[in-house]
Amino acid sequence: MAQLDTLDLIVLVALLIGSVLYFTKGTYWAVVKDPYAASYANANGAAKAGASRNFVEKMSETDKNCIIFYGSQTGTAEDYASRLAKEGSSRFGLKTMTADLEEYDFDVLDSLPEDCVAFFVMATYGEGEPTDNAVDFFEFIGGDDSSFSNGSSASETPLPNLKYVTFGLGNNTYEHYNAMVRKTDAALTKLGAQRVGDAGEGDDGAGTMEEDFLAWKEPMWTELTKAMRLEEREAVYEPVFEIREKPEMDASDDLVYLGEPNKNHLEGASKGPYNANNPYIAPIAESRELFNDRIRNCLHCEIDIGGSNLSYTTGDHAAIWPTNAGKEVDRFLEVLDLLDKRNMVISVRGIDATAKVPFPSPTTYDAVVRYHMEICAPVSRQFVATLAQFAPNEAIKKELTNIGGDKDQFQQVVTNRNLNIAQFLQIMGKGEQWRKIPFSLFIEGVHKLQPRYYSISSSSHVQKDKIGITAVVESVEREDAPHVVKGVTTNYLLALKQKQHGDPDPDPHGLKYEITGPRNKWDGVHVPVHIRHSNFKLPSNPATPVIMVGPGTGVAPFRGFVQERASMAKAGQQVGKTLLFFGCRNREEDFLYSIEWETYKEALGDSFELVTAFSREGPQKVYVQDRMRERAEEINKLLQQKAYFYVCGDAANMAREVNNILGQIMSSQRGLPESKGDDLVKAMRASNQYQEDVWS
């Protein structure tokens, strides 16, 4: 018999140990599963690993007959989808579910049963583009070579049995207003599907999004009732989420989320990839005041992303994750009589299997209100009508019902006074607290607190590990409003700047921000961030001329552009004409980066020129649009040399006027009809020679 050598013995022992471990797994050495891991996944809106991408199967398994898809960039379309799902269920008995477009495949659209309906709530992003989560969906339904589960191709009108409803979120200050809902509607119609009701369109640019939605949905429900033989019933509140108080737990327990966005952050082991679901807690390396004004503030912040694996290219956007001001958190909790319970631990779960909790739990009332709810956002008229049933008494109930049902009265009482939800309830309650409102209703009816996006004002070519942002600290006053509206994120940044400059207890405007974050994890002047990539880019050839128009903080990305070109010039590269139009009120008060432009001029020489417009210095107001007219001949010559044209700033007025003036310049300088000038601008846009980074 052969003897076992040492290697044989080692192998046998390893096999024996492995066998013991395998057959005793879960008995002696099981790892305790985190009971709240599912909350983390749901909070991020992520499909579970291995989950089916077949929404028809999902609907069948969960007994649904109405699915409401959303294409959302900032959460607003998702909010409208949730509202439609809620109303469809409570008023018409539909068995509804909401669905993120990127979580499902759409080759099964042809197998959706005839007694079901699909909604598509579509936001338009940028220059008529789909939102990030709608890209694959739109490519599929618009593709000529798409094929469906029953074997039909796109050319065979494969969706004759599909009933669908559409609503779009757009902004009329952009050229491609509501392009995505229009394209979605056209594509589905081409595939043979049957739209129920009109294709709705909301206009954020005109400030009528909410009223556009309310005006559209009532006739839509009427048509859907006929198409699906539904019966309307009295809408009674049915909670989507179950809230359980857990007095046996303490807010300091390691398992309790106090504002941490996910499990890794809770455990103090944050790791990438960092994105819209998982921020990087970045140190602010530098912050400074840009205005010389006793009343107004404008901040420049340098945010350090070194070591995070985050990267940006010049022209991208930085997303800042804010927290709500303590002053407004206290007001909200007080009006609901929850101040004494602010640190009570609660668990939140979806009652329906398809309901996603928008934040991780267990958590506390304070953490939900401070880190996860847009409590300072404008109030929805539909939400006011829903709250009426929970009023402290019959008189207040009647008053709320009237306000919620009357567009003009709502405008006068709520919108014109810039009230947020807690301010509104405080005024309407006349000293009474609103104890009857289920907390779940606020989770359902108040938007999730969203990151705010800022054009990056630095060059990745010059400083790849630091992103610059430029932000005016917002403060909006109205004569008939009882409160001054303070920008949630910009005042948060102001508090961080004050701390960085030595204030041990920064408290801008008495807002009381909790700037050290949950469990003081963000101490040392940190801010949660991620990067959103943009198509707003310099031409690849640095010798190509560029014309930039950026009044106020619209100059932010152009600081990055000029910084980059100055660096290239220093390195000996040929840089084309770089013409920047900048405007502000007064050169002594709000001339942003005035000294820096001189430094860049030294590097770029005659290739860089800054044209300024100071609106409050002379007897007549002068704007960048006026300076463009004065430089019409040069602008036209540069455009004939294939110069790229950029605009950043206010979409509603400035950007639209710049667009029109550019068309007028080209038509007048080239001896063409004005309509031809407009066509030339459209052609520039189509070829990406005209780029915008604008907001309303």
Side-chain angles (χ1 to χ4, degrees), residues 88 102 684:
E102 71 180 350
M684 287 175 62

Side-chain angles (χ1 to χ4, degrees), residues 458-519:
S458 57
S459 163
S460 57
H461 181 81
V462 175
Q463 49 180 72
K464 68 181 181 65
D465 289 335
K466 286 183 184 177
I467 53 177
I469 63 168
T470 310
V472 168
V473 179
E474 295 179 65
S475 183
V476 180
E477 292 186 58
R478 291 183 68 147
E479 288 183 9
D480 53 349
H483 303 278
V484 177
V485 177
K486 296 293 184 183
V488 173
T489 308
T490 52
N491 281 281
Y492 170 52
L493 290 172
L494 178 58
L496 287 166
K497 180 254 182 186
Q498 290 175 347
K499 181 177 182 183
Q500 188 165 52
H501 286 258
D503 188 336
D505 188 24
D507 187 18
H509 312 295
L511 293 172
K512 297 191 300 182
Y513 280 96
E514 198 169 273
I515 59 175
T516 59
R519 295 182 171 88

Side-chain angles (χ1 to χ4, degrees), residues 559-575:
R559 176 183 182 264
F561 282 15
V562 176
Q563 189 181 68
E564 184 153 313
R565 287 198 149 197
S567 173
M568 290 176 170
K570 282 183 178 179
Q573 289 184 263
Q574 181 186 350
V575 174

Side-chain angles (χ1 to χ4, degrees), residues 394-409:
E394 286 300 316
I396 297 174
K397 177 180 178 179
K398 183 178 179 181
E399 199 170 358
L400 249 68
T401 302
N402 291 338
I403 293 170
D406 187 319
K407 174 182 175 181
D408 294 333
Q409 189 178 359

